[in-house]
Amino acid sequence: MSAEPLLGGRNLSYRYLRRYLALDQVSVDVMPGEFLVLLGANGSGKSTLLKMLDGLVFPDEGELTAFAEPISEHALGDPAANARFRSRVGLVFQNSEAQLFSATVREDLAFGCRQLGLDREQTEQRIAEVSTMLQIEAILDRAPVHLSGGQQKRVALGSVLVMSPQVLLFDEPTAGLDPRTSSWLITVMAQLHQAGRTMVVATHDLDLTARLATRCLVLGEDHRVAASGAPTQILADTALLTEVNLIAAE
């Protein structure tokens, strides 16, 4: 594993509306090929940190980097720099409906390809590959708004995978899914990691963490880093998990 992080943040702090604290002096590195889980209770700031790594929000304090370059609102204001970044990092939102806006599934998948400047043949090839992988060939011409939650999750993931990003970010990927779809998604995420993708997942799902994580960063309810380490170490520390409200006190 390379010693250089793909994504990184130093002393990141953020307040929504400049008033409500979400992150307080948080530092993180995302190393090539790892499966990093950002673990924390609801409201701990893990989703905000994930959005920072995707360049959707920017810290009030601290520094962000991606692929050895500074990331800021100003830096991503450059169309070429923004295109480079967006082609290498993809985020799958917790709410799939927020990610799907086209009239059909096929058009949602094609949108990312167009952003990359791919021609029609290349676009159709990527759509075919991703739809086969995610088993959504039969719904390509359906409207996303009429799909089930599990189907929407597959399409939302597909809309990111067609761009073939180096780093995949997931916000609470199993939230609201039925057991069968949740199990399927965990299997797909494992396959993507095994294929060489770098993965970052914000979750409070301890089962997902145990099955997939190679490293954990734990955020406390004070919006600071409470711990960082191997999943076996973190998940065995019941005092820590109780303190950060991931398990109930006995």
Side-chain angles (χ1 to χ4, degrees):
M1 188 177 290
S2 168
E4 292 295 323
L6 298 181
L7 306 176
R10 289 289 170 271
N11 303 317
L12 303 172
S13 294
Y14 184 77
R15 291 178 183 270
Y16 284 101
L17 302 176
R18 300 287 179 177
R19 295 173 59 192
Y20 305 107
L21 185 65
L23 294 173
D24 188 11
Q25 297 293 305
V26 169
S27 294
V28 61
D29 284 324
V30 179
M31 307 306 293
E34 76 172 336
F35 198 118
L36 174 64
V37 166
L38 307 177
L39 193 60
N42 290 339
S44 62
K46 60 187 184 298
S47 292
T48 301
L49 180 55
L50 197 72
K51 290 174 183 175
M52 277 192 186
L53 295 176
D54 194 49
L56 295 180
V57 298
F58 301 94
D60 299 325
E61 300 175 16
E63 297 180 351
L64 282 169
T65 59
F67 311 102
E69 295 182 1
I71 292 298
S72 65
E73 192 167 7
H74 174 74
L76 293 184
D78 175 69
N82 188 63
R84 286 197 305 273
F85 179 78
R86 298 296 168 202
S87 69
R88 300 174 81 177
V89 181
L91 170 62
V92 181
F93 288 76
Q94 177 180 351
N95 178 9
S96 299
E97 287 185 347
Q99 201 158 351
L100 306 175
F101 48 82
S102 299
T104 67
V105 169
R106 189 186 305 275
E107 290 176 20
D108 263 319
L109 298 182
F111 179 81
C113 297
R114 288 198 295 269
Q115 303 313 299
L116 295 177
L118 302 182
D119 61 28
R120 182 174 179 177
E121 182 178 351
Q122 292 171 315
T123 296
E124 290 178 352
Q125 180 178 349
R126 290 205 183 186
I127 290 174
E129 291 171 352
V130 167
S131 61
T132 298
M133 174 188 177
L134 300 180
Q135 301 173 359
I136 56 174
E137 307 102 305
I139 61 172
L140 284 175
D141 295 315
R142 290 182 60 185
V145 69
H146 295 146
L147 301 178
S148 68
Q151 290 172 323
Q152 288 180 343
K153 181 67 74 173
R154 292 181 188 231
V155 177
L157 175 55
S159 71
V160 172
L161 289 181
V162 290
M163 301 180 73
S164 194
Q166 188 174 351
V167 183
L168 283 167
L169 313 175
F170 290 81
D171 190 11
E172 296 287 4
T174 56
L177 297 181
D178 62 76
R180 184 180 298 112
T181 303
S182 180
S183 178
W184 169 84
L185 181 57
I186 288 174
T187 298
V188 169
M189 293 167 70
Q191 292 171 343
L192 290 167
H193 182 235
Q194 291 165 5
R197 304 292 178 90
T198 299
M199 314 283 282
V200 185
V201 175
T203 188
H204 61 265
D205 186 334
L206 299 183
D207 178 61
L208 182 154
T209 302
R211 293 175 62 179
L212 297 180
T214 59
R215 185 165 63 91
C216 296
L217 184 76
V218 183
L219 294 177
E221 292 182 299
D222 61 355
H223 313 287
R224 300 176 69 93
V225 175
S228 178
T232 51
Q233 170 194 348
I234 297 296
L235 295 176
D237 191 340
T238 55
L240 168 67
L241 298 179
T242 301
E243 178 186 350
V244 300
N245 198 26
L246 284 168
I247 61 174
E250 296 183 357

